[in-house]
Amino acid sequence: MFERRLPLAVMALTLAATFATPLSQAAPVVPDRLQHSDKLVFCGGMDSPPMGFYDANQKLIGVTVDLGEAIAKRLGNKRIEWRVTPFSGLIPALLAGQCDMLVDQLFDKPERREVIDMVNYMYSSQAVVVAKGNPQGIHTLDDLSGKKVAVLNGSTIRTLLDAHNQVLTKAGKPPMNIVVYNTDTDAFQALRINQAAAYGTTVETAGYYQSMAPELFEVGVPAFARILTGLGIRKDDPQMSAAVTEILKDMRADGSYQAILAKWHIEGDRLD
């Protein structure tokens, strides 16, 4: 009787070892250049809640901050130096060697892939925020014709609105007046003090501001132009790209990735 049960016990141990193997292999290969360094320099705009921003105590918080800390920990408990950089200056800063990685919400576009490598970590879309009650009746991009729209410099929404202005012009309609700001905070402020009829941003930031002041703002043009977003790494740093790719894979497997998105109420943007 005992000898008949032994193979089952052996099989159980074998299966347990098989399922345990991925966990033992989860540690990424730390890039050679970081082997003897205890610090990572991350560049980010840090002005787009809930992605990355300062709280009331001037502490950096948000999705990208939590993600950056998780990556640094898995690269050998490195400490992080956050280098706050205007969004339009992020890629130049990376290419100039001022940071190890761009930890921000970079929309994965072909023109960006030409100059940097990207590791995707979520989806995002664009939206247009308006005053509560939508007094100017802005429901589509066409409704922005002739109106002043605030946007962040270097953002995808600016590119999309510039392109839509050409559509409006061909249709014989006045183009929108796109006003560019160096920070998302300033662009949002323009809407808040009625210097702009609308504020174009990501759905995450639009949702954050609406949740903070539902009596003052609402989404006029709902989510559109869904696209992958990611972290930026220099093309001459393939070991870093490989390490971060492995870390994101491991975080999705162990649930820590999903926990970060859930913490900031953007579970719907998770990778498929």
Side-chain angles (χ1 to χ4, degrees):
M1 181 70 69
F2 175 77
E3 291 183 355
R4 289 184 179 180
R5 291 179 181 176
L6 182 59
L8 293 177
V10 173
M11 183 180 296
L13 289 172
T14 301
L15 288 173
T18 299
F19 286 111
T21 299
L23 295 177
S24 65
Q25 297 177 345
V29 177
V30 178
D32 292 340
R33 66 181 181 82
L34 296 178
Q35 292 286 348
H36 303 293
S37 173
D38 66 347
K39 183 180 77 170
L40 285 166
V41 180
F42 290 160
C43 288
M46 297 304 167
D47 70 323
S48 300
M51 300 308 298
F53 62 110
Y54 286 96
D55 67 8
N57 298 315
Q58 292 302 297
K59 177 185 177 183
L60 284 174
I61 61 173
V63 178
T64 56
V65 175
D66 289 347
L67 184 60
E69 290 175 349
I71 290 171
K73 181 178 180 180
R74 295 179 186 229
L75 282 174
N77 291 312
K78 308 293 186 186
R79 63 183 176 89
I80 301 173
E81 177 186 325
W82 289 101
R83 189 160 295 176
V84 179
T85 307
F87 190 83
S88 60
L90 286 176
I91 291 179
L94 178 69
L95 297 180
Q98 296 175 9
C99 40
D100 296 297
M101 183 166 66
L102 302 182
V103 184
D104 206 302
Q105 188 180 33
L106 298 174
F107 280 62
D108 192 343
K109 299 185 288 187
E111 55 267 32
R112 283 187 177 144
R113 286 275 184 177
E114 289 180 2
V115 293
I116 63 172
D117 286 338
M118 295 188 66
V119 178
N120 295 320
Y121 66 91
M122 63 181 284
Y123 282 95
S124 185
S125 304
Q126 307 297 325
V128 176
V129 182
V130 298
K132 184 68 176 180
N134 201 351
Q136 300 197 42
I138 297 171
H139 302 288
T140 68
L141 294 185
D142 283 349
D143 295 333
L144 294 170
S145 172
K147 295 180 173 62
K148 186 177 291 187
V149 186
V151 299
L152 171 66
N153 190 24
S155 62
T156 295
I157 187 72
R158 180 191 179 182
T159 302
L160 292 173
L161 294 184
D162 280 337
H164 198 75
N165 263 346
Q166 298 179 25
V167 175
L168 292 173
T169 301
K170 289 180 180 179
K173 299 179 180 180
M176 64 191 87
N177 179 10
I178 301 172
V179 184
V180 179
Y181 294 86
N182 285 327
T183 70
D184 250 326
T185 303
D186 289 341
F188 171 69
Q189 178 74 353
L191 171 66
R192 192 183 71 81
I193 62 176
N194 297 316
Q195 287 186 350
Y199 160 50
T201 186
T202 65
V203 291
E204 294 81 23
T205 299
Y208 176 84
Y209 282 128
Q210 186 180 5
S211 68
M212 290 297 99
E215 74 284 359
L216 297 178
F217 309 102
E218 64 182 73
V219 174
V221 182
F224 66 97
R226 187 173 188 254
I227 190 173
L228 283 166
T229 68
L231 310 167
I233 301 171
R234 285 189 301 275
K235 284 187 173 295
D236 63 359
D237 199 4
Q239 289 185 328
M240 188 67 165
S241 294
V244 174
T245 298
E246 181 60 35
I247 288 172
L248 263 294
K249 178 182 176 182
D250 292 343
M251 290 181 65
R252 292 174 68 188
D254 65 26
S256 55
Y257 161 81
Q258 293 86 337
I260 290 175
L261 299 192
K263 173 183 175 181
W264 296 100
H265 310 294
I266 55 171
E267 301 96 317
D269 295 330
R270 66 184 180 277
L271 295 176
D272 296 332

